[in-house]
Coordinates of all heavy atoms in Angstrom, one line a residue:
A86 N -9.7 57.2 50.1 CA -8.7 56.3 49.4 C -8.4 55.2 50.4 O -8.4 55.4 51.6 CB -7.4 57.1 49.0
V87 N -8.1 54.0 49.8 CA -7.6 52.9 50.6 C -6.4 52.4 49.9 O -6.4 52.3 48.7 CB -8.7 51.9 50.9 CG1 -9.2 51.2 49.6 CG2 -8.3 50.8 51.9
E88 N -5.3 52.1 50.7 CA -4.1 51.5 50.1 C -4.5 50.1 49.7 O -5.2 49.3 50.4 CB -3.0 51.4 51.2 CG -1.7 51.1 50.6 CD -0.5 51.2 51.6 OE1 -0.8 51.5 52.8 OE2 0.6 51.1 51.2
I89 N -4.1 49.7 48.5 CA -4.5 48.4 47.9 C -3.4 47.6 47.2 O -2.5 48.3 46.6 CB -5.8 48.6 47.0 CG1 -6.5 47.3 46.7 CG2 -5.3 49.2 45.6 CD1 -7.9 47.5 46.2
A90 N -3.4 46.3 47.3 CA -2.4 45.5 46.7 C -3.0 44.9 45.4 O -4.2 44.7 45.3 CB -2.0 44.4 47.6
T91 N -2.1 44.7 44.4 CA -2.5 44.0 43.2 C -3.2 42.7 43.5 O -2.7 41.9 44.3 CB -1.3 43.7 42.3 OG1 -0.6 44.9 42.0 CG2 -1.7 43.0 41.0
G92 N -4.4 42.5 42.9 CA -5.1 41.2 43.1 C -6.2 41.4 44.3 O -7.0 40.5 44.4
A93 N -6.1 42.4 45.1 CA -7.1 42.6 46.1 C -8.4 43.1 45.5 O -8.4 43.8 44.5 CB -6.6 43.6 47.2
R94 N -9.6 42.7 46.1 CA -10.9 43.2 45.6 C -11.0 44.7 45.8 O -10.7 45.2 46.9 CB -12.0 42.5 46.4 CG -12.4 41.2 45.9 CD -13.5 40.6 46.6 NE -13.0 40.1 48.0 CZ -13.7 39.3 48.7 NH1 -14.9 38.8 48.3 NH2 -13.2 38.9 49.9
V95 N -11.4 45.4 44.8 CA -11.6 46.8 45.0 C -12.9 47.0 45.6 O -13.9 46.3 45.3 CB -11.5 47.6 43.6 CG1 -10.1 47.5 43.0 CG2 -12.6 47.2 42.7
P96 N -13.0 48.0 46.6 CA -14.3 48.2 47.2 C -15.3 48.8 46.3 O -14.9 49.6 45.3 CB -14.0 49.2 48.4 CG -12.5 49.5 48.2 CD -11.9 48.8 47.1
P97 N -16.6 48.6 46.4 CA -17.6 49.3 45.6 C -17.4 50.8 45.7 O -17.0 51.3 46.8 CB -18.9 48.9 46.2 CG -18.6 47.7 47.1 CD -17.2 47.7 47.5
G98 N -17.6 51.5 44.7 CA -17.4 53.0 44.7 C -16.1 53.4 44.2 O -15.8 54.6 43.9
T99 N -15.1 52.5 44.0 CA -13.8 52.8 43.5 C -13.9 53.4 42.1 O -14.5 52.8 41.2 CB -12.9 51.6 43.5 OG1 -12.8 51.1 44.9 CG2 -11.5 51.9 43.0
A100 N -13.3 54.6 41.9 CA -13.2 55.2 40.6 C -12.1 54.7 39.8 O -12.1 54.5 38.6 CB -13.2 56.7 40.7
A101 N -10.9 54.4 40.4 CA -9.7 54.0 39.8 C -8.7 53.6 40.8 O -8.9 53.8 42.0 CB -9.1 55.1 38.9
V102 N -7.6 52.9 40.3 CA -6.5 52.6 41.2 C -5.4 53.5 40.8 O -5.0 53.6 39.6 CB -6.1 51.1 41.2 CG1 -4.8 50.9 41.9 CG2 -7.3 50.3 41.8
L103 N -4.8 54.2 41.7 CA -3.7 55.1 41.5 C -2.4 54.4 41.9 O -2.2 54.2 43.1 CB -3.9 56.4 42.3 CG -2.9 57.6 42.1 CD1 -2.9 58.1 40.7 CD2 -3.3 58.7 43.1
P104 N -1.5 54.0 41.0 CA -0.3 53.3 41.4 C 0.6 54.2 42.3 O 0.6 55.4 42.1 CB 0.4 53.0 40.1 CG -0.6 53.2 39.0 CD -1.6 54.2 39.5
Y105 N 1.4 53.6 43.2 CA 2.2 54.3 44.1 C 3.1 55.3 43.3 O 3.3 56.5 43.7 CB 3.2 53.4 44.8 CG 2.6 52.5 45.9 CD1 2.6 51.1 45.8 CD2 2.0 53.1 47.0 CE1 2.1 50.3 46.7 CE2 1.5 52.3 48.0 CZ 1.5 50.9 47.9 OH 0.9 50.1 48.8
E106 N 3.6 54.9 42.1 CA 4.6 55.7 41.4 C 3.9 57.0 40.8 O 4.6 57.9 40.4 CB 5.4 54.9 40.4 CG 4.6 54.0 39.4 CD 4.2 52.6 39.9 OE1 3.8 52.5 41.1 OE2 4.3 51.7 39.1

Side-chain angles (χ1 to χ4, degrees):
V87 63
E88 195 173 2
I89 196 162
T91 302
R94 275 183 286 199
V95 296
T99 301
V102 169
L103 183 63
Y105 288 119
E106 50 274 43

